[in-house]
Amino acid sequence: MRKIPVLYIVIPCYNEEEVLPVTAPMFLDKIHALAQKGAVSGESRILFVDDGSRDNTWKIICSLAEQDEHFMGISQSRNRGHQNAVLAGLMEARSRCDITISIDCDGQDDINAMDEMVARYMEGFEVVYGVRSRRDTDTFFKKYTAQLFYRLLNWMGAEVVYNHADYRLISSLVLDELAEFKEVNIFLRGLVPLVGFKSTQVYYERSERMAGKSHYPLSKMLSLAADGITSLSVKPIRMISMLGFAVSLLSFLMIVWIIVQFFTGKTVQGWASTCAIVCFVCGIQLICTGVIGEYIGKIYLETKARPRYIISDRTYETGETAREEKSGGPDGRTAAR
């Protein structure tokens, strides 16, 4: 039987000044409720990660931390994207707790699913994925593009949990292993399954955003899909090889046909067929070059090994020794690779 765990709820924030005052009390109530029924320790905390917001998000986080010790916050030196913000919070929390639950701050994910997540952890699971049971609140376009997103990722070889975003419980054991993954191009939905360990799923219904506006339009979804595929799969490169072979075979057959037609005297001069073939081959070449270029770009970023996040400020002090161990110096600045 496992001991009562210390839970850190990790919440990435970017320009969330409208929604934070609404959802922060909800997270606090949930921490208190879990602690009161003995599901988690009273030392559990809520860790906000400000992802370089341009509004008053960080000021609100600091105010919350002053009002209640259960609120904590770290601020990144600039905006580095949702996935890096989640990772920063997980790595900051892993030495302080037994389990983390990452969740967005907009109130769309059902926080009551945390009860079942913690219960599954107590049963022996190290990772618990929060999975949407329905998509009734989505528009027709959003619903079917999201489904296409998950199917495309799995078809391309990126192992992801269907209808799971970033609402998940991860134990400190798994976080320690996740810290060994050093890639700069982060796609946590695919990385966490790669780590392994015993996992399960908890289903919940997602509601409308409580305030503010979504920061994940179609363009970001497409970018996330591209990152997931190119970071976790080489299948597109193999598809290009197969396509190149098929086009080469077709071209060879075309050459044979042209020679036969020439010697039988049936050749007819014309530019339409020539232009069609040239445009087709050039289009294939450009697409293949673009995909290969995407991989080369990823390789370029990985070889530079830049920090995945840089923490510029915290709402709390951890002591000089702990701070120096984390940052490599006495200035309290954390650069993670």
Side-chain angles (χ1 to χ4, degrees):
M1 183 66 180
R2 288 178 161 175
K3 69 179 182 69
I4 297 176
V6 175
L7 165 66
Y8 270 49
I9 301 176
V10 176
I11 307 172
C13 305
Y14 178 66
N15 294 342
E16 302 290 2
E17 64 179 2
E18 294 182 37
V19 76
L20 264 181
V22 178
T23 57
M26 294 171 47
F27 293 122
L28 183 60
D29 290 343
K30 175 52 63 177
I31 281 281
H32 286 319
L34 288 169
Q36 285 174 3
K37 72 176 186 178
V40 301
S41 167
E43 297 299 314
S44 299
R45 295 290 184 267
I46 300 164
L47 176 60
F48 294 107
V49 183
D50 178 35
D51 188 23
S53 298
R54 292 172 292 180
D55 60 6
N56 293 317
T57 296
W58 180 240
K59 291 181 180 179
I60 295 173
I61 293 173
C62 292
S63 177
L64 290 169
E66 291 175 358
Q67 296 170 19
D68 194 295
E69 64 178 358
H70 289 89
F71 289 118
M72 305 166 63
I74 58 176
S75 177
Q76 298 210 79
S77 61
R78 53 156 293 174
N79 176 257
R80 294 180 181 272
H82 180 270
Q83 296 292 284
N84 287 308
V86 174
L87 182 69
L90 295 177
M91 294 299 103
E92 182 79 5
R94 71 186 177 103
S95 62
R96 305 166 181 270
C97 64
D98 301 302
I99 55 175
T100 62
I101 294 180
S102 57
I103 185 173
D104 291 338
C105 70
D106 54 20
Q108 289 189 275
D109 296 321
D110 183 9
I111 62 173
N112 293 319
M114 292 184 185
D115 297 67
E116 190 175 352
M117 287 182 173
V118 175
R120 298 290 84 80
Y121 166 76
M122 296 300 290
E123 292 174 3
F125 293 98
E126 302 293 342
V127 180
V128 183
Y129 299 102
V131 178
R132 294 182 63 174
S133 58
R134 297 186 302 175
R135 284 188 171 270
D136 296 343
T137 58
D138 289 348
T139 62
F140 177 86
F141 180 77
K142 172 69 174 178
K143 179 179 180 179
Y144 287 97
T145 53
Q147 291 177 350
L148 177 63
F149 169 78
Y150 289 106
R151 290 194 176 99
L152 177 63
L153 286 173
N154 279 297
W155 184 66
M156 284 292 185
E159 183 183 350
V160 295
V161 178
Y162 186 71
N163 270 342
H164 162 71
D166 288 289
Y167 188 19
R168 69 179 75 86
L169 178 149
I170 307 179
S171 71
S172 58
L173 174 64
V174 177
L175 288 177
D176 287 340
E177 299 304 325
L178 182 63
E180 297 301 314
F181 286 69
K182 304 300 183 182
E183 53 255 58
V184 174
N185 301 285
I186 304 167
F187 185 67
L188 290 174
R189 302 181 197 184
L191 279 182
V192 175
L194 279 179
V195 178
F197 291 96
K198 191 176 181 181
S199 65
T200 188
Q201 300 177 7
V202 166
Y203 294 90
Y204 70 95
E205 293 187 14
R206 203 163 193 248
S207 57
E208 297 286 350
R209 186 181 177 92
M210 292 189 171
K213 59 181 181 180
S214 173
H215 301 295
Y216 248 88
L218 177 62
S219 59
K220 284 195 174 182
M221 287 292 292
L222 293 175
S223 177
L224 186 65
D227 285 341
I229 293 169
T230 54
S231 298
L232 298 168
S233 173
V234 295
K235 192 171 182 178
I237 294 291
R238 292 173 181 168
M239 291 174 63
I240 285 176
S241 299
M242 295 174 62
L243 180 61
F245 176 79
V247 172
S248 298
L249 179 61
L250 182 63
S251 300
F252 176 76
L253 294 175
M254 181 65 72
I255 291 172
V256 173
W257 180 80
I258 291 172
I259 293 174
V260 172
Q261 293 294 96
F262 176 78
F263 283 106
T264 56
K266 297 180 180 180
T267 55
V268 178
Q269 293 182 344
W271 60 269
S273 59
T274 302
C275 289
I277 293 173
V278 170
C279 291
F280 174 73
V281 174
C282 288
I284 293 295
Q285 288 177 333
L286 287 173
I287 292 173
C288 295
T289 302
V291 174
I292 294 172
E294 186 73 19
Y295 276 92
I296 293 174
K298 290 290 191 298
I299 295 170
Y300 171 72
L301 292 175
E302 293 293 342
T303 55
K304 294 178 80 69
R306 290 171 176 167
R308 296 178 291 186
Y309 58 86
I310 299 174
I311 298 174
S312 61
D313 201 0
R314 293 181 173 87
T315 61
Y316 54 91
E317 297 293 335
T318 58
E320 291 300 322
T321 301
R323 188 159 65 247
E324 290 181 18
E325 287 178 355
K326 284 178 174 290
S327 66
D331 59 355
R333 174 177 169 271
T334 301
R337 298 188 179 274

